[in-house]
Amino acid sequence: MSERPQDVASPGLSAHTRPGWLHKWTNYLQGYQRRWFVLSNGLLSYYRTQAEMAHTCRGTINLATAHIDVEDACIIVISDSGRTYYLKLSSEVERRCWVTALELAKSKAIRMMCNQSDDSGDEEPTSQSDKSELHATLRTLTGKLEDLSQCNDLIAKHGAALQRSLNELETLKVPAESGEKIKAVSERATLFRITSNAMVNACRDFLELAETHSRKWQRALQCEREQRVRLEETIEQLAKQHNSLEQACRGAPVLPSSSTEVSNASKGSWTDSWLGQRSHHVKARTRPVKGETSDEDEETEYFDAMESATEFITVTTDPPEHRRTGSNVSETSSDQTETWNPDEQAFDCSNQASVSASIKPSRKRRIQIPEKPNYSLNLWSIMKNCIGKELSKIPMPVNFNEPLSMLQRLTEDLEYHDLLDKAARCESPAEQMCYVAAFSVSSYSTTIHRTAKPFNPLLGETFELDRLEESGFRSLCEQVSHHPPAAAHHVHSKCGWTLWQEITIASKFRGKYLSIMPLGAIHLQFHSGSNHYVWRKVTSTVHNIIVGKLWIDQSGDINIVNIKTKDKCQLKFSPYSYFSRECARKVTGVVTDREGKANYILSGTWDEKMEFAKVVQRSQNGTSCEGKQKTVYQTLPPKVLWRKYALPANAENMYYFSELALTLNEMEIGAAPTDSRLRPDQRLMENGDWEEANVEKQRLEEKQRAARRLREAKTVKALEEGTDCEAYKPVWFEKKEDPVTGEEMYVYKGGYWECKETQDWKLCPDIY
């Protein structure tokens, strides 16, 4: 039931303001919801609670241009510029009171608008004359300001002279001199009066000119703001209409369930969304008319395929036929072509840990975590004020997270470490490059359903993954910088390889999608042969942040370079396009030697598998439908290079974690006190205590801010005293210049595993 305004105390509201509880139509699932409405100064605004009046307004309608109608005995309909509010009251008497108040407020708003129009002296400036009029006014105001400045100087000058004359009068002793001094003082006073009058007149002119134009500029600014809001609403409505027309035209949902033809929006249950458990009903700016598609309907944003990347065509040939026509084979084929057996797959999906006999499992890892609770949270209410901001600087409740930190997500890249184990045993640099390329693609396979946000690591936070006995490698991550957020990672494997990287995550929220741009190079070096590979990650995009089902896409190019042999591999991640005939999430690539000759063709998808095929011949006879020249590669039948592991049972209720991800937050005996497993808010979230986790998260962030303020105070004090003050330095990593890229990056300086053996953690900061 709605409440009468007089029954509810509303501090801070004027006598001309009418507040009260009304029921507002939201959507067909939630129906009418209780909202706090405030009618003031011709504006009708509403809030979810009275407490929100201090910081969050859910919507406002200007009654001067609104239409007020009565649908039945207890419902009021208010519409303006595409927005429509359906308000339900408890009784017909209550409805009459509100209608009367709304009509009076509308009349006052119209009168105020007319008065402002009369006071401005003319109509709104046209777009053609607005610019010239503005420049002329600014020139006039500038001239008046110069006059004021000159008058100010003269007043100061003559005032000082007048003061000196008055001082001389006080010291006079001879009456004969008094007449001349009084005359001089009179002249000084006259000059001062004239100058003061000029100053006053100049001030009056400036004030009149400013008053003449300020109101018109205020109206012009308000008009621009309203036009901007209307434009945003129009664009949003056009996008919905366009999406609906596509669905109607094709007679099928935009995102069918086929995993090879559609975007990843349709895979799995997307109730587990980016930024945690969203509410089923995201509030939109406009209220749709009953019967129309609501703003809560599903939407998907699409991108056309890139056309600038090099295109090629592959033609498969059988090995026997190739041996008969060996004279036509280009220099890219090798003597090992006869041993190419397509039935002998390079990747065995049944053996997830391809390790040597000396590596044996030492402990049983957990295979499940507490199921994700079903907590609802309105995403748009928090994110609408964050457009254009760096995501790492936005305070987020844990409802938007998954119970892993960014350091643990970075460690998840090692899920398919066996690809590097196989690459270390390759004798051919070109074949080794194929495994490295497959490893770089495999790191994205876990993101297909994982649209939740990982915890931002605290400065000095670490994460170790000691799988030396089980898988042959040890991994260590440390958060080396907080703003910008940067993590350093080092992995050493006794299977013959070492990987290190420093990743800075740059992310921008753009309203309907989120762009995540990893910055920094990834280095991989094999102990045997000393082949050194370098590459960078592609951009990840989370779509439909506000309305519709969330889905994630990867797009861009990965260029892998072997520093020693100059072999290269260019991988192209094709962005999803509704109009493309290619399969979704497609990845293609070519492995070339230092002369640019192709050795292998890579193809597949970043969420399922990658294949590679040996090139036996190439030509430039291919032509695309746009008339562009394409390279035609004749290849042997492809082999499966990598295939994604199946998700564990009940993964949809465990944040879509893989088998490795389920074990990352499992307690590790002897880990550093800064390890992510010991982070209390993350542990509480994993256990399902989200409210306690939010409280703990705020405490940790405030503790981190206090430590930063203390460091800044020490720096300021050192500068004042002229002494040196050391900046923050990570514990296990140090900054050095990368000889390959020429950039400074953090590299592992050693000591962590030795400290773990002795349990000497005195160097670790107190961050929890």
Side-chain angles (χ1 to χ4, degrees), residues 347-384:
F347 180 81
D348 184 7
C349 61
S350 63
N351 183 14
Q352 295 189 8
S354 178
V355 294
S356 62
S358 61
I359 301 175
K360 299 179 181 179
S362 61
R363 59 177 288 189
K364 185 177 181 181
R365 303 286 179 178
R366 67 180 186 179
I367 59 175
Q368 63 182 8
I369 60 174
E371 291 190 2
K372 179 180 179 181
N374 186 20
Y375 290 143
S376 296
L377 187 66
N378 190 300
L379 170 65
W380 180 241
S381 64
I382 295 178
M383 296 303 296
K384 64 181 179 180

XYZ file of all heavy atoms in Angstrom, residues 347-384:
307
model
N 47.653 -34.974 -29.470
C 47.122 -34.676 -28.140
C 46.212 -35.805 -27.702
O 45.315 -36.214 -28.443
C 46.341 -33.362 -28.157
C 45.756 -32.993 -26.827
C 46.538 -32.383 -25.866
C 44.432 -33.270 -26.534
C 46.002 -32.033 -24.633
C 43.896 -32.925 -25.301
C 44.690 -32.311 -24.358
N 46.448 -36.320 -26.528
C 45.633 -37.396 -25.973
C 44.790 -36.833 -24.852
O 45.289 -36.534 -23.770
C 46.529 -38.520 -25.457
C 45.707 -39.712 -24.962
O 44.479 -39.684 -25.148
O 46.301 -40.636 -24.396
N 43.488 -36.623 -25.125
C 42.631 -35.981 -24.127
C 42.380 -36.871 -22.919
O 41.938 -36.400 -21.884
C 41.296 -35.581 -24.759
S 40.363 -36.979 -25.412
N 42.647 -38.160 -23.038
C 42.431 -39.034 -21.890
C 43.536 -38.919 -20.863
O 43.367 -39.275 -19.706
C 42.315 -40.487 -22.361
O 43.541 -40.898 -22.959
N 44.677 -38.395 -21.285
C 45.800 -38.234 -20.364
C 46.005 -36.762 -20.106
O 46.662 -36.071 -20.859
C 47.072 -38.857 -20.974
C 48.254 -38.774 -20.025
O 48.074 -38.488 -18.846
N 49.439 -39.026 -20.545
N 45.408 -36.239 -19.074
C 45.455 -34.817 -18.812
C 46.797 -34.380 -18.278
O 47.108 -33.198 -18.312
C 44.350 -34.419 -17.837
C 42.963 -34.625 -18.386
C 41.924 -34.016 -17.486
O 42.233 -33.330 -16.538
N 40.667 -34.278 -17.785
N 47.583 -35.257 -17.765
C 48.897 -34.889 -17.245
C 49.946 -35.744 -17.905
O 50.288 -36.832 -17.455
C 48.938 -35.067 -15.732
N 50.438 -35.281 -19.036
C 51.456 -35.998 -19.780
C 52.802 -35.720 -19.137
O 53.493 -34.772 -19.466
C 51.453 -35.543 -21.242
O 52.458 -36.205 -21.952
N 53.187 -36.557 -18.188
C 54.404 -36.337 -17.430
C 55.268 -37.574 -17.501
O 54.832 -38.657 -17.870
C 54.070 -36.002 -15.958
C 53.351 -34.679 -15.873
C 53.238 -37.099 -15.333
N 56.489 -37.394 -17.131
C 57.434 -38.501 -17.181
C 57.190 -39.451 -16.022
O 56.434 -39.180 -15.094
C 58.861 -37.950 -17.121
O 59.064 -37.266 -15.898
N 57.879 -40.563 -16.071
C 57.665 -41.582 -15.049
C 58.133 -41.137 -13.679
O 57.685 -41.649 -12.652
C 58.381 -42.867 -15.450
N 59.034 -40.155 -13.654
C 59.552 -39.691 -12.366
C 58.593 -38.759 -11.642
O 58.827 -38.412 -10.492
C 60.887 -38.965 -12.574
O 60.698 -37.830 -13.407
N 57.517 -38.338 -12.314
C 56.542 -37.426 -11.719
C 55.309 -38.228 -11.336
O 54.634 -38.794 -12.194
C 56.177 -36.304 -12.699
C 57.427 -35.520 -13.087
C 55.134 -35.388 -12.104
C 57.176 -34.481 -14.138
N 55.021 -38.280 -10.051
C 53.905 -39.080 -9.562
C 53.010 -38.237 -8.663
O 53.507 -37.394 -7.918
C 54.420 -40.292 -8.782
C 55.291 -41.228 -9.608
C 55.784 -42.382 -8.776
C 56.670 -43.310 -9.598
N 57.175 -44.434 -8.793
N 51.691 -38.480 -8.721
C 50.786 -37.739 -7.830
C 51.124 -38.011 -6.375
O 51.417 -39.140 -5.989
C 49.399 -38.263 -8.207
C 49.571 -38.858 -9.576
C 50.963 -39.366 -9.640
N 51.092 -36.971 -5.555
C 51.472 -37.113 -4.154
C 50.302 -36.921 -3.203
O 50.385 -37.326 -2.058
C 52.571 -36.103 -3.792
O 52.086 -34.782 -3.976
N 49.239 -36.293 -3.631
C 48.110 -36.072 -2.750
C 46.830 -35.987 -3.557
O 46.845 -35.671 -4.740
C 48.285 -34.793 -1.931
C 48.449 -33.552 -2.773
C 48.537 -32.303 -1.926
N 47.241 -31.957 -1.341
C 47.012 -30.820 -0.706
N 47.990 -29.944 -0.538
N 45.820 -30.549 -0.219
N 45.754 -36.289 -2.901
C 44.455 -36.227 -3.550
C 43.889 -34.829 -3.394
O 43.766 -34.308 -2.298
C 43.514 -37.253 -2.924
C 42.163 -37.339 -3.622
C 41.296 -38.416 -2.999
C 39.953 -38.505 -3.711
N 39.081 -39.544 -3.099
N 43.570 -34.205 -4.512
C 43.043 -32.841 -4.508
C 41.518 -32.861 -4.429
O 40.869 -33.838 -4.832
C 43.490 -32.106 -5.782
C 44.992 -32.065 -5.978
C 45.650 -31.098 -5.034
N 47.101 -31.084 -5.199
C 47.910 -30.297 -4.512
N 47.414 -29.471 -3.603
N 49.222 -30.342 -4.705
N 40.957 -31.765 -3.964
C 39.509 -31.687 -3.839
C 38.872 -31.568 -5.223
O 39.461 -31.007 -6.157
C 39.102 -30.521 -2.959
C 39.395 -29.142 -3.529
C 38.951 -28.065 -2.575
N 39.100 -26.723 -3.157
C 38.762 -25.601 -2.523
N 38.276 -25.656 -1.297
N 38.910 -24.433 -3.112
N 37.676 -32.066 -5.335
C 36.983 -32.080 -6.629
C 35.692 -31.269 -6.582
O 34.943 -31.247 -7.564
C 36.673 -33.522 -7.069
C 35.811 -34.224 -6.022
C 37.961 -34.285 -7.325
C 35.352 -35.615 -6.448
N 35.420 -30.585 -5.470
C 34.227 -29.749 -5.396
C 34.419 -28.680 -4.327
O 35.272 -28.809 -3.447
C 32.982 -30.574 -5.098
C 33.006 -31.280 -3.752
C 31.768 -32.120 -3.519
O 30.958 -32.300 -4.408
N 31.613 -32.632 -2.309
N 33.620 -27.612 -4.452
C 33.599 -26.527 -3.479
C 32.141 -26.252 -3.129
O 31.232 -26.747 -3.814
C 34.277 -25.259 -4.035
C 33.554 -24.767 -5.294
C 35.747 -25.491 -4.312
C 34.067 -23.442 -5.817
N 31.849 -25.485 -2.074
C 30.447 -25.161 -1.771
C 29.750 -24.510 -2.956
O 30.338 -23.692 -3.670
C 30.568 -24.191 -0.585
C 31.857 -24.550 0.068
C 32.779 -24.968 -1.047
N 28.511 -24.897 -3.174
C 27.773 -24.373 -4.316
C 27.519 -22.876 -4.157
O 27.400 -22.352 -3.051
C 26.446 -25.114 -4.482
C 26.610 -26.555 -4.914
C 25.295 -27.179 -5.296
O 24.263 -26.464 -5.252
O 25.281 -28.377 -5.639
N 27.432 -22.212 -5.289
C 27.221 -20.765 -5.303
C 25.821 -20.440 -4.807
O 24.831 -20.950 -5.339
C 27.411 -20.261 -6.736
C 27.204 -18.779 -6.922
C 27.430 -18.415 -8.371
C 27.217 -16.938 -8.606
N 27.412 -16.560 -10.026
N 25.686 -19.568 -3.791
C 24.343 -19.205 -3.321
C 23.620 -18.323 -4.323
O 24.247 -17.637 -5.139
C 24.617 -18.451 -2.010
C 26.010 -17.935 -2.153
C 26.750 -18.936 -2.997
N 22.316 -18.329 -4.244
C 21.494 -17.575 -5.189
C 21.119 -16.233 -4.574
O 20.021 -16.042 -4.066
C 20.242 -18.372 -5.561
C 19.433 -17.698 -6.648
O 19.949 -16.846 -7.382
N 18.176 -18.065 -6.765
N 22.072 -15.278 -4.609
C 21.825 -13.932 -4.115
C 21.570 -13.015 -5.293
O 22.314 -13.035 -6.274
C 23.024 -13.401 -3.326
C 23.230 -14.076 -1.996
C 24.510 -14.330 -1.519
C 22.143 -14.452 -1.211
C 24.709 -14.949 -0.291
C 22.330 -15.073 0.012
C 23.611 -15.321 0.465
O 23.792 -15.930 1.667
N 20.536 -12.188 -5.196
C 20.204 -11.246 -6.255
C 20.819 -9.892 -5.944
O 20.895 -9.473 -4.793
C 18.690 -11.103 -6.413
O 18.126 -12.326 -6.823
N 21.241 -9.195 -6.990
C 21.789 -7.854 -6.841
C 21.559 -7.094 -8.131
O 21.783 -7.636 -9.214
C 23.286 -7.906 -6.524
C 23.939 -6.567 -6.173
C 23.374 -6.052 -4.855
C 25.439 -6.706 -6.057
N 21.102 -5.840 -8.021
C 20.847 -5.020 -9.195
C 22.166 -4.491 -9.726
O 22.842 -3.699 -9.074
C 19.920 -3.857 -8.837
C 19.440 -3.118 -10.069
O 20.237 -2.592 -10.828
N 18.135 -3.086 -10.257
N 22.559 -4.952 -10.914
C 23.843 -4.557 -11.495
C 23.860 -3.101 -11.909
O 24.795 -2.359 -11.607
C 24.142 -5.451 -12.707
C 25.321 -5.035 -13.571
C 26.608 -5.153 -12.777
C 25.391 -5.882 -14.824
N 22.811 -2.648 -12.590
C 22.824 -1.296 -13.150
C 22.845 -0.236 -12.060
O 23.411 0.837 -12.243
C 21.615 -1.113 -14.058
C 21.539 0.248 -14.668
C 20.553 1.169 -14.520
C 22.498 0.850 -15.537
N 20.844 2.288 -15.232
C 22.024 2.127 -15.869
C 23.726 0.424 -16.069
C 22.721 2.989 -16.702
C 24.418 1.279 -16.896
C 23.920 2.535 -17.206
N 22.262 -0.514 -10.915
C 22.248 0.469 -9.836
C 23.646 0.790 -9.360
O 23.904 1.879 -8.846
C 21.413 -0.060 -8.667
O 22.004 -1.226 -8.118
N 24.583 -0.139 -9.527
C 25.964 0.088 -9.095
C 26.830 0.555 -10.250
O 27.690 1.422 -10.103
C 26.532 -1.209 -8.481
C 25.758 -1.555 -7.199
C 28.019 -1.078 -8.185
C 26.216 -2.836 -6.549
N 26.597 0.053 -11.444
C 27.503 0.299 -12.556
C 27.196 1.554 -13.346
O 28.039 2.018 -14.110
C 27.465 -0.902 -13.525
C 27.976 -2.195 -12.915
S 29.664 -2.041 -12.301
C 30.526 -1.727 -13.834
N 26.010 2.153 -13.174
C 25.661 3.282 -14.039
C 26.531 4.496 -13.776
O 26.660 5.364 -14.654
C 24.183 3.640 -13.861
C 23.811 4.133 -12.468
C 22.318 4.423 -12.413
C 21.895 4.894 -11.037
N 20.456 5.175 -10.974
